[in-house]
Structures are given as C-alpha cells and as structure tokens.
Amino acid sequence: MNTWQWIGGLLVFLGIPFFLLGTLGLLRFPDVYTRLHALAKADNVGLGLVCIGLGIQSGSVVLLLKLILIWVLMLIASATAAGLIARTALSRGLRPWGT
Amino acid sequence: MTELYPVVVLLLLLNILVGMVRILRGPTAADRMLAAEMFATSAVVIVLLMAVVSGNLALIDVALVFALLAALASVTFVSRAWSAMAGRRPGVECDDDGRGGTQ
Amino acid sequence: MTKSWRQAVQERTAGVMRWLGMQQTGVGLPLRILAYAGIWWIITGGEGGWLWGLPAVLVAALFNPFPTTERWRWRLRGVLAFVPVFAWLSLRSAVDVAWRAVHPSRPLHPALVDYAWNVEGGHARVFLANLINLMPGTLCVRFTEQGMTVHILGDPARTIAGLERLEAVVGRLFQPLGEKDD
C-alpha cells in the first residue's frame, strides 16, 4: 500500500465524522434555520473529503475529477436548497429561534 | 484501509436511521425535507464507497445521477409540495398538529 | 410563391443569426464548448465516445440555459484565488458547526443581520447569497435590491467582517465584458 493510498484513506476517514456531527446538529438544534446551518456545512465538507480521498486512492486523474464533479454538484444543490428553504421559511413568517 | 469501508457504510446507514427521528418529529415540512437531504448526501457517499468495495465503477455514475437529482428534489419541494401544504392555512406556517409557527 | 418562400427563409436566417448573437452573452461560446467538452471527458471517464459526445457538447453550448442581460465572464485569476479561500472557509465552517452541535450547552446565538451590497452585478450577488450558506455561521434568509438579511450563529461583528472579506473575493471572480483584465 503506497503513500497516496494512505493519504486518500485518511481523508475518507476524516470526512465521516462530519456526517455524524451534522446529524447530531440536525437532531439537537432548535429550529429550521439552525438545522440548515448544521446540514449545509457539515455534510458537504464530509462529502468533499470522501470524494477527494477516494479520488486520490483511485490513482486516476479522470476519476478524481469525476468525484470532484459529484461534490461540486452536491455543493450547488445544497447551497441553493438551503437558501431557498431559508428564504421561503422567513417569508412564511417562521420566526428564528432566539430572536 | 479499503477493508474498513463496509464498516463505514454500516455506520452511515445507522446515521440515516438516527436521522429518521427528525422526520418523525418534524415539526414543519421543511425540517423533514432537511432530513431527506441528509439522506441524499449520505446515499451518495454510501454508493461511492460501495463502488470501491465492489470494484464496480459504474456505481460512480449512479452517485453522479443522485447528485444531479438532489437539486431537483429540494427545488420541487419548495416550489410545489411546501406551498401546497401551507395552502391549507394561508399565512401561518404550521406543523402537522395544526399548531402555529413557534417551536 | 417563390418570392415569399425566399423571404421566409431570409427571415428565419436572420432570426437564427440574432439568436446566435444573443448566445454570446454569458460565458462566451468558445469557452462554453471547451468547458462542456471537459465535462463530457470527465463523465465518460476519459474513454471518449465523441461520436455522441461532440453533438451533445455543441447542442448544450449553443442552447445556453442561463441567458443573461449582463455581460460578464469569469476572471481566471479570481477563480484561482477563490478556490483556496473556499476550501479553508468550508472546513472552518464545518468544524464550527460541528463544535456547536457536540458542545453540551449548545452555544447558539442566532440573530438576523441586514447586510448592504458592496459588490455590483446581479450574478455576483446571487453567487454570494448562495455561497454564504456554506460559509461559517451565515445563512441568507432574504435577498433584495439593496442587500440581504443574514441569519448568523455567532458574534455579529466578526461575521460581518468575514462577509465583507468574502464579498471582495467574490467581486474579483467576475469581469464585466468590455473591461480590461487587470
């Protein structure tokens, strides 16, 4: 097992805790806005680390780029979705917790 | 290291199971949608890890399609489903028990 | 009969040419073809399949799904500067939110803050509004002509200062067409 394999594997294992902590935030945070914070940030960094880690492990440039493409698509999806849900919730008169 | 990936996949499945609590509790439709979004991201990771474990690289294309559909799912939810649900009681964002906005 | 047919063809040709001219807005046709060809190369895993790929790339590049009235393009130097900033801030935001989630007392101090635009151009503003959802402790909850309302989790002064720095980086991403690159 060479160095790149180890670095890639390390990134994958670094990414997984963000999923667990994102879910913890989803359960513990008090309202939809704070939960959006937890999900949009933690899960996407987790996904990024896993994608880049697996890409490095594969040892193929095109596969690494494909995994990064998947990550970027998910980034666009969740950034847009988070903004859309937050704006709609506020315009519906859903008051943020603690304000 | 790759030998540990099935364990990671199980961990992520467990993570999804725990996230189900948010779907059960709500209280608004948006909170449930957030949990569903979390499932989508986890599903992408699970599929990618399984692609490595099984050596079937076609699964990466499956993850690509998942990622593309994730955007559509959220936009559809906000523009169609949420509006339709709120239409039951205009002006007030309510949970499923019919209580008003504050949580 | 023949004359009207010829006239119809001429009108149609003029329409197509006008439409093609309109497509020049946005990123610019040659760059779009190159970008879509790159994406095709990536999703096919470098195996080619250009018999299907080339027509798909050309059609996708010609039918620009994002026609804009504003003329702008990406500024390469800005994009290169943006990537490390984005990577660092995403990592920091994920650690920040994870820390708030595991902390026993759940340290959340949510507030709504109004933020006035400094950056010009609708594309840059929309980009920034979506981007801050992934950045530390910010979430865009309202988007207007004058500014945006941001839902924040921590210290307002520090968050606003961070937003202003980020806005400057985003402003350097785009270059209005007709302006010289610096």
Side-chain angles (χ1 to χ4, degrees):
Chain A
M1 208 179 254
N2 62 31
T3 327
W4 287 115
Q5 289 275 321
W6 278 103
I7 294 173
L10 196 70
L11 285 176
V12 172
F13 284 105
L14 270 178
I16 300 302
F18 285 112
F19 284 95
L20 309 182
L21 294 170
T23 308
L24 191 68
L26 187 68
L27 295 184
R28 281 193 80 200
F29 284 177
D31 71 346
V32 71
Y33 302 99
T34 46
R35 286 176 201 140
L36 272 171
H37 278 279
L39 216 61
K41 293 161 179 79
D43 275 20
N44 282 310
V45 170
L47 182 67
L49 288 172
V50 170
C51 282
I52 293 172
L54 289 179
I56 289 176
Q57 271 192 330
S58 75
S60 133
V61 176
V62 85
L63 225 50
L64 174 65
L65 288 174
K66 196 171 182 176
L67 289 165
I68 289 177
L69 182 69
I70 292 176
W71 180 42
V72 171
L73 285 173
M74 282 307 277
L75 279 180
I76 296 171
S78 55
T80 317
L84 209 55
I85 290 177
R87 284 196 293 275
T88 314
L90 193 77
S91 67
R92 291 267 173 78
L94 202 67
R95 274 184 69 81
W97 175 87
T99 59
Chain B
M1 263 193 171
T2 317
E3 302 79 47
L4 283 175
Y5 286 171
V7 183
V8 175
V9 168
L10 280 177
L11 203 66
L12 285 170
L13 284 172
L14 202 69
N15 187 35
I16 287 183
L17 213 60
V18 174
M20 289 277 186
V21 174
R22 186 44 71 203
I23 292 210
L24 291 176
R25 279 205 202 144
T28 64
D31 294 289
R32 298 196 169 89
M33 190 61 207
L34 281 189
E37 260 178 56
M38 188 271 279
F39 297 172
T41 321
S42 302
V44 169
V45 173
I46 290 172
V47 170
L48 287 178
L49 288 174
M50 287 315 288
V52 175
V53 171
S54 67
N56 185 355
L57 291 185
L59 281 178
I60 294 179
D61 294 320
V62 176
L64 192 70
V65 173
F66 267 38
L68 279 170
L69 288 178
L72 288 183
S74 311
V75 174
T76 313
F77 163 73
V78 173
S79 64
R80 304 269 171 196
W82 201 3
S83 314
M85 278 181 255
R88 289 184 310 202
R89 193 183 285 189
V92 185
E93 181 60 38
C94 52
D95 55 35
D96 284 355
D97 304 331
R99 276 178 281 128
T102 49
Q103 295 147 54
Chain C
M1 195 72 181
T2 330
K3 197 177 176 184
S4 71
W5 179 79
R6 186 174 291 175
Q7 208 171 10
V9 169
Q10 269 173 357
E11 275 171 17
R12 181 61 59 87
T13 317
V16 168
M17 292 315 283
R18 208 163 44 239
W19 178 77
L20 277 174
M22 262 157 53
Q23 301 301 309
Q24 288 293 337
T25 56
V27 187
L29 196 56
L31 199 60
R32 266 211 311 277
I33 291 177
L34 207 66
Y36 288 143
I39 292 176
W40 178 268
W41 181 71
I42 291 171
I43 60 176
T44 53
E47 282 166 23
W50 290 102
L51 186 63
W52 298 105
L54 207 60
V57 164
L58 287 176
V59 167
L62 281 172
F63 287 92
N64 180 8
F66 315 109
T68 51
T69 50
E70 297 173 72
R71 296 170 68 84
W72 60 274
R73 62 185 175 128
W74 297 99
R75 181 183 278 155
L76 185 64
R77 197 182 297 178
V79 175
L80 290 179
F82 172 74
V83 171
V85 173
F86 175 77
W88 167 242
L89 285 180
S90 338
L91 207 59
R92 231 184 66 192
S93 74
V95 171
D96 171 70
V97 87
W99 172 75
R100 292 178 204 272
V102 289
H103 198 285
S105 66
R106 208 178 57 185
L108 297 171
H109 312 285
L112 293 180
V113 177
D114 284 315
Y115 184 83
W117 300 117
N118 297 317
V119 73
E120 287 299 317
H123 48 277
R125 290 174 180 178
V126 171
F127 187 88
L128 183 70
N130 282 318
L131 176 70
I132 65 163
N133 299 336
L134 303 173
M135 296 289 107
T138 50
L139 180 69
C140 173
V141 290
R142 193 187 289 133
F143 185 98
T144 63
E145 288 283 314
Q146 291 78 36
M148 57 181 169
T149 309
V150 185
H151 182 271
I152 62 168
L153 290 183
D155 180 21
R158 260 186 68 192
T159 312
I160 295 293
L163 267 183
E164 275 163 359
R165 279 199 300 277
L166 189 66
E167 193 173 23
V169 175
V170 168
R172 284 194 285 274
L173 273 176
F174 305 101
Q175 177 186 15
L177 281 184
E179 191 188 273
K180 280 266 179 196
D181 200 349
D182 51 38

